[in-house]
Amino acid sequence: MTKVLVSDPIDQAGIDILTQVAQVDQKVGLSIDELKNIICEYDGLMIRSGTQVTSDVIAEAKNLRIIGRAGVGVDNVDVPSATRKGVLVVNSPGGNTIAAAEHALAMILALSRNIPQAHASMFSGGWDRKKYVGNELYKKTLGVVGLGKIGSHVAKVANAMGMEVIGFDPFVSSERAQQMQVRLSDIDLLFKESDYVTLHLPRTPETENLVDIDLLRKMKPTARLVNCARGGIINENDLAHALEANVIQGAAIDVYAKEPLVENSPLRSVKKGLILTPHLGASTVEAQQNVAIDVAEQIRDVLLGLPARSAVNIPGLSAEIMDSLKPHLKLAETLGLLVSQISGGQIQKLEVRLQGEFAQHPSQPLVIATLKGLLTSALGDKINYVNASLEAKGRGIDVVEIKDELSPEFARGSLQLDSFSDKGGHSVSGTVFGDGDLGITSIDEYPINFVPSRHMLFTRHRDMPGIIGQIGSLLGKYNVNIASMQVGRRIVRGEAVMVLSIDDPIPSELLGSILSMQGINEAHSVTL
């Protein structure tokens, strides 16, 4: 039976979705060693930020097909190891956007008006109005580092509050920044000019310890820093020193290099200007339910053989692309599987030619789908959209992509694969019709028109009387029923190709008999 492990606290709505398709085991608080010992039993793993899915854990995951992170960040998952293993990693990039953005804004307001300190003073019997005089945000400058979904929402609200917003994000165009009413800046200038800086970056080798004492010293002495993104982006020792030495006025931190925050962290000893919260950015009722439902639905869909919406380790495959290109991806995979079976040798090079409308779509997903089909015959269930490119590269297959937007042979364009192996070359092409049906339109440049079926027989033969009848008689002898037949040729009594759709796979001895017939140059049993 299909099994899913839930190793962090997950909203019950997510559990209910998973139970539709699998046995769900909830085991919270597992150590890495404990997880390693049991992960081989499971087809799916659902986590939040607590579980550490290391390369050692993934190495033991014999049956694992998907890891679902109920949240945005996947820094607690060894994504490269999962990719090499062919394990899909999904997250919920939009489920807690509002919650995280609002927490950052709450931190900015709390810093400005000394709310935590005033609250503590009141409960201690105080009434210190003069001590807790704050600052207005109106007309202050907010620096937003990272203008993704969360950062852009913070910028939107800050603009509405009358702040001037400057941003740093190397992947945001000036046109997009203008739409968001954000002035783009380099990071040094942003830290220098801002009254408040809020971080909205993933933790990567490039961003780890990005904010160190050198960058903090570029800030105004009155400036304040907020991090509700990922721990480790700020050097915590440097921040503690900067606050104690009045390098900056304040900071509000929700995420830490190690969580829970260790007891002897220098941040716990800071006496002034610091607000700490225990990773509450996504901790709203709405966000917890949203991310649980989103990721649970993706795990359910993948276990049912359907695509995921938010795959972290399938480049170029967003939910929107998956939906809009569904028949195109299916055609690409089908053609890859077909050409691999008629090539008859070790493929060394594959040309992927996108023609007409196909050339106008993002090409990377189509190439990945092609490679998945190409390698399925050899690798079976081990090959998927996650590891197809890596497996092709590891096998030395040279993949060449060619776009030809001005080739309108078919209304919706076409996709052509040319394979080159140690036994020669083969070519297949196909298209997607208006109703979404797939059509194979040529094989080895012989025009042909058929709908691919589960089992097929492909032949290249001399176009001569009686040869098709002989093949039909042989199939009848082996009780193989023919569903349809298509023949393509260029000249009369030259060479031709034939595709038979059949109800059952071709037995190996039957294929041998066909190959031994006079006039048969090639014969291949194809299973899609």
Side-chain angles (χ1 to χ4, degrees), residues 233-277:
I233 298 173
I234 298 174
N235 184 302
E236 294 171 1
N237 288 314
D238 287 1
L239 177 60
H241 171 74
L243 290 167
E244 294 286 7
N246 298 318
V247 174
I248 62 173
Q249 185 166 338
I253 308 297
D254 185 50
V255 289
Y256 310 93
K258 292 184 179 180
E259 296 185 1
L261 183 63
V262 296
E263 289 185 15
N264 62 349
S265 167
L267 296 178
R268 291 189 185 271
S269 302
V270 175
K271 303 299 183 185
K272 57 182 179 178
L274 181 61
I275 298 172
L276 303 178
T277 54

Side-chain angles (χ1 to χ4, degrees), residues 105 108-109 137-140 154-164:
L105 291 160
I108 292 170
L109 287 163
L137 299 183
Y138 183 65
K139 291 190 176 180
K140 297 297 191 303
V154 171
K156 177 181 177 181
V157 176
N159 272 313
M161 296 172 71
M163 301 186 80
E164 179 188 351

